Amino acid sequence: MKNIYIHIWSMIGMILIVSACAKDIKMTNQKPIINISHSLDGLNLTINGTANDPDGKISEITIFWGDNNMDDLFGSVLTNINLSHSYLNPGIYTIRITARDNVGDSTSQSFPLTVDFNETKLTGIKETMFKKSKNEYLILTLNLHTYQETQQNEKFNIITDIIGKMDIDFIALQECAQNKSSAIKEGIVRVDNMALIISDRLKQKYNANYNYVWNWSHYGWTVWEEGLAILSKYPLLASEDRYISSVTDVNNISSRKAMYATYQLPKGRINIFSAHTHWRTSLTDEEQNNEIKNIQLMVDEKEALTPLKASIICGDFNGNPTSDFPWSEGYNTMMKNNDYKDSFFEIYPAANSKPPQSIYNTIGGDLPGRIDYIFIKNNAYLKVVDSQIIFKNDVVGNVSDHYGVLTKLIFVK
């Protein structure tokens, strides 16, 4: 009997030892190991690395980006981490990465990060484009693409830097939009109005006071009040916008406007126009041609109001000079009778040669071509000094599906 008792107590002892060992194993579980590196490209952060569990497997990885956004990764294989995140604004953000293993233990790694816009470099802009005297003026035209761009905030920064660093005098914008549901800032201008944002940033970053006029012609993608704007640092004397199209329904993308603003310069008055004509839809369609004629009538009307030095017509005309007739008719109508100069063509006479060369394209995509212009009503006061297509990746960077045209003029009288 005594031997039986000894045997029973031995078995109980072994059970206790096994239980203790199991408890020790549970208590000594090894936590996940995280190895992370990161890289910044403007407001865009990319993290790369690994998360491993020495005695199990990773069940979840959570990344807090520091801007109230987070990503959760699940799955059977989570050892490699490769994720990107775009911040809306510059700032200092604390990133926290947490890896959990299959028994619920976790390891976290945090680091602060200063995020800012990339520096906008002007090395791609021709030296002759920079102003050398007070008698020289820079005019920019750009279609902004109505908030259809990725990384819009960074692109606003590039546009602001080019205007501020180069001291551009007049800026004509097309597809300059605001969301119909955004709060009103003042009048008809909403808080996300693209002209307002650029104007405000010029003041904040360069202490430059640019006034602007803006109005819209139709809804883009059903939610955007899509229109035209003109910005300048010179005193605004008067402005007007009007429909140049036969259609004036805001729910119809064919509804098109032209905008006019007149300014006082040291040497006299100057009229600036921003326009966005419709594209030709068929061999017999005369809508685009008629819109251009209406722009010309508007120019003549405004010039008759007061003595001035010049009229400059900027915009997206949706027509290539190198296209076969009648697709090139709109451009030819603008240039008919030698009433207007195409400022870019004055510097690059090969821009209208066939076959067309891609270096002269002002828009990419499926239908690339040269469709953005700065026209000058012929007069004895202005001379074109130089011109350049600037918002390309090999110049200052892409900000839209359009590349913009910058022209330098000089008053000769």
Side-chain angles (χ1 to χ4, degrees), residues 56-201:
K57 64 180 181 179
I58 302 297
S59 62
E60 180 185 6
I61 295 173
T62 303
I63 302 173
F64 294 91
W65 299 103
D67 61 352
N68 297 320
N69 289 298
M70 61 174 285
D71 279 310
D72 262 332
L73 306 179
F74 299 95
S76 57
V77 181
L78 288 172
T79 54
N80 294 316
I81 304 171
N82 188 327
L83 273 183
S84 295
H85 181 70
S86 295
Y87 292 93
L88 182 60
N89 296 300
I92 300 175
Y93 300 93
T94 299
I95 290 82
R96 186 171 81 253
I97 302 167
T98 300
R100 293 177 179 83
D101 65 15
N102 55 298
V103 298
D105 275 349
S106 64
T107 299
S108 292
Q109 185 179 104
S110 299
F111 58 93
L113 194 66
T114 300
V115 178
D116 203 354
F117 295 117
N118 281 324
E119 179 189 356
T120 303
K121 298 179 180 180
L122 307 184
T123 51
I125 296 179
K126 295 189 297 182
E127 181 62 30
T128 50
M129 289 301 304
F130 292 87
K131 292 193 285 188
K132 307 297 182 183
S133 73
K134 294 182 179 180
N135 199 33
E136 294 178 332
Y137 295 86
L138 288 172
I139 298 94
L140 171 68
T141 188
L142 176 64
N143 181 314
L144 291 174
H145 201 200
T146 304
Y147 277 111
Q148 300 307 297
E149 293 292 311
T150 59
Q151 302 170 349
Q152 181 66 73
N153 206 24
E154 289 183 276
K155 292 176 180 179
F156 277 141
N157 182 67
I158 294 173
I159 296 167
T160 300
D161 281 346
I162 295 304
I163 296 170
K165 290 181 177 183
M166 296 196 69
D167 189 30
I168 297 176
D169 299 281
F170 302 100
I171 303 98
L173 301 174
Q174 304 85 45
E175 291 191 25
C176 180
Q178 59 185 21
N179 192 293
K180 67 179 182 181
S181 300
S182 296
I184 291 289
K185 172 74 172 181
E186 183 178 4
I188 63 170
V189 175
R190 302 181 186 274
V191 293
D192 60 348
N193 184 285
M194 300 174 96
L196 170 67
I197 290 171
I198 294 170
S199 175
D200 283 350
R201 291 194 181 190

Side-chain angles (χ1 to χ4, degrees), residues 244-245 256 277-278 287-295:
I244 54 174
S245 57
R256 303 286 167 150
T277 67
H278 202 266
E287 176 64 26
Q288 183 193 76
N289 206 37
N290 290 331
E291 290 176 11
I292 290 172
K293 290 177 181 178
N294 287 334
I295 294 170

Side-chain angles (χ1 to χ4, degrees), residues 10 17 26 84 145 184 209 219 242 267 269 305 337 347 383 407:
S10 297
I17 291 171
K26 185 176 181 181
S84 295
H145 201 200
I184 291 289
N209 294 307
Y219 285 113
R242 66 174 68 163
K267 287 182 174 287
R269 293 274 289 271
L305 293 177
N337 298 324
I347 305 301
K383 177 184 177 182
T407 289

